[in-house]
Amino acid sequence: MTAVVITVRGESEARVRAEEAAVRVTVTTDGPARGPVVERAQERAAVVQDGLVAHLRSGEVSEWSSARVSVWSDRPWNHDGAQLPLVHHASVELSATFIDAGALSWWLGDVAESDDVQVTAVEWRLSPTTRARVEREVAAAAVGVAVERASAYADALGLASVSPVEVADAGLLATRPEAQHPLAARMMSADHAGGPSFSLQPSEIVVTSVVEGRFRAE
């Protein structure tokens, strides 16, 4: 039998417990006078910052920042269609990366007690070092699956040797690339409780890899 080109796909998946959480909170104040509104936002943001600094010193936070400050005014309308006096607003957005889930739970419970503070996002993720290692392992495993499938097809055809011709991320060997990402990560849902106190547990990060390969069997 002449040589046969076998095209296969290999997939692999790994589930890894998240190591850190990126959290964002926004301090928002409003009122009829611009000065007091801005001052109250600054004071409340300073309290939140002090807490982050304390967690940074204790090693429970790896980094934090206060990247965005906004001040604006508007004139609301009442139910009769009349425009009311100016209302001034101020907001300060802060973000931090927690590496201790227990510390994050306590901190969220503290900041959530204030009506001026809103928790806008908590994103579980892997550290850069762990993510790079897991992505490499998952990609290698996906290639291994592709090799095993090609070998199985060759055995079924009575062919003894299999050699790689091309290996690529999913879609790159096809005439029409697929929309899905060949190497992706998604987060399993986090377990948490609402109310005045929080109990957060790190989510599982699912890292997947899909490859396509062409092999020559003869």
Side-chain angles (χ1 to χ4, degrees):
M1 181 181 289
T2 59
V4 175
V5 175
I6 300 172
T7 303
V8 295
R9 174 174 292 188
E11 306 95 359
S12 182
E13 176 181 289
R15 294 170 180 258
V16 186
R17 182 70 64 181
E19 298 172 309
E20 58 186 39
V23 58
R24 290 197 306 273
V25 298
T26 303
V27 177
T28 305
T29 58
D30 54 66
R34 181 185 179 93
V37 166
V38 174
E39 184 178 352
R40 191 165 78 251
Q42 292 174 334
E43 291 175 351
R44 187 65 189 113
V47 174
V48 177
Q49 291 173 4
D50 289 344
L52 291 175
V53 170
H55 285 295
L56 181 67
R57 290 172 177 168
S58 65
E60 297 157 336
V61 166
S62 60
E63 61 180 359
W64 74 272
S65 65
S66 176
R68 190 151 125 201
V69 178
S70 301
V71 180
W72 72 99
S73 303
D74 56 34
R75 291 174 63 93
W77 300 79
N78 65 14
H79 63 280
D80 294 325
Q83 204 165 22
L84 301 176
L86 274 174
V87 176
H88 301 277
H89 311 269
S91 71
V92 181
E93 185 177 279
L94 302 99
S95 61
T97 300
F98 277 80
I99 56 178
D100 185 295
L104 173 60
S105 298
W106 280 105
W107 182 75
L108 289 177
D110 287 340
V111 299
E113 292 181 355
S114 171
D115 294 335
D116 296 333
V117 181
Q118 292 182 332
V119 180
T120 55
V122 176
E123 177 189 358
W124 294 103
R125 62 193 186 190
L126 300 174
S127 68
T129 300
T130 299
R131 185 180 182 85
R133 174 181 58 80
V134 174
E135 287 181 349
R136 182 182 180 88
E137 292 172 353
V138 171
V143 173
V145 171
V147 172
E148 290 177 2
R149 286 180 176 171
S151 298
Y153 290 161
D155 289 342
L157 294 172
L159 303 174
S161 65
V162 175
S163 57
V165 177
E166 291 180 286
V167 177
D169 289 336
L172 296 183
L173 294 184
T175 55
R176 288 176 139 186
E178 296 182 358
Q180 86 177 64
H181 297 287
L183 184 62
R186 63 183 186 274
M187 180 183 68
M188 304 299 287
S189 59
D191 297 327
H192 60 87
S197 62
F198 295 81
S199 179
L200 299 180
Q201 296 296 326
S203 299
E204 278 191 331
I205 306 298
V206 182
V207 181
T208 61
S209 178
V210 182
V211 301
E212 292 174 350
R214 287 196 178 103
F215 299 83
R216 182 181 299 277
E218 48 189 9

